[in-house]
């Protein structure tokens, strides 16, 4: 048996916040696109990035003599 009538306090708060703040979802999506949604890299770009990466030793704080 599902409880379809139940709505948590958190869900109610978010719904109320979205109603009181017009444009909030659009700003959230724009922020996500800015930080996370990246265009795919071409194979040449990926190869160049891989080749230009500096190799790091296994334990970075170990000094070599």
């Amino acid at each position: 048996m599902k409880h379809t009538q139940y709505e948590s306090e958190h869900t109610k708060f978010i719904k109320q916040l979205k109603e009181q703040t017009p444009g909030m979802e659009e700003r959230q999506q724009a922020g996500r696109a800015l930080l996370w949604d990246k265009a795919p890299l071409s194979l040449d770009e990926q190869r160049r990035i891989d080749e230009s990466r500096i190799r790091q030793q296994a334990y970075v704080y170990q000094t070599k003599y």
Side-chain angles (χ1 to χ4, degrees):
M1 181 169 102
K2 284 189 169 184
H3 298 283
T4 57
Q5 302 297 322
Y6 174 75
E7 197 170 76
S8 71
E9 293 296 318
H10 180 76
T11 302
K12 290 177 186 176
F13 171 76
I14 295 296
K15 282 184 178 180
Q16 182 183 14
L17 182 65
K18 286 182 179 182
E19 288 172 3
Q20 293 174 353
T21 313
M24 184 175 86
E25 254 182 271
E26 290 81 12
R27 289 192 305 273
Q28 281 181 317
Q29 291 172 1
R32 176 195 161 105
L34 179 67
L35 296 174
W36 297 105
D37 298 338
K38 304 291 182 187
L41 297 175
S42 70
L43 292 177
D44 288 334
E45 287 174 310
Q46 185 63 45
R47 182 187 49 75
R48 186 178 50 80
I49 290 170
D50 289 342
E51 288 174 355
S52 65
R53 186 163 291 155
I54 297 174
R55 301 282 181 226
Q56 190 176 31
Q57 59 186 3
Y59 185 66
V60 295
Y61 299 108
Q62 178 70 39
T63 56
K64 291 185 176 182
Y65 292 105

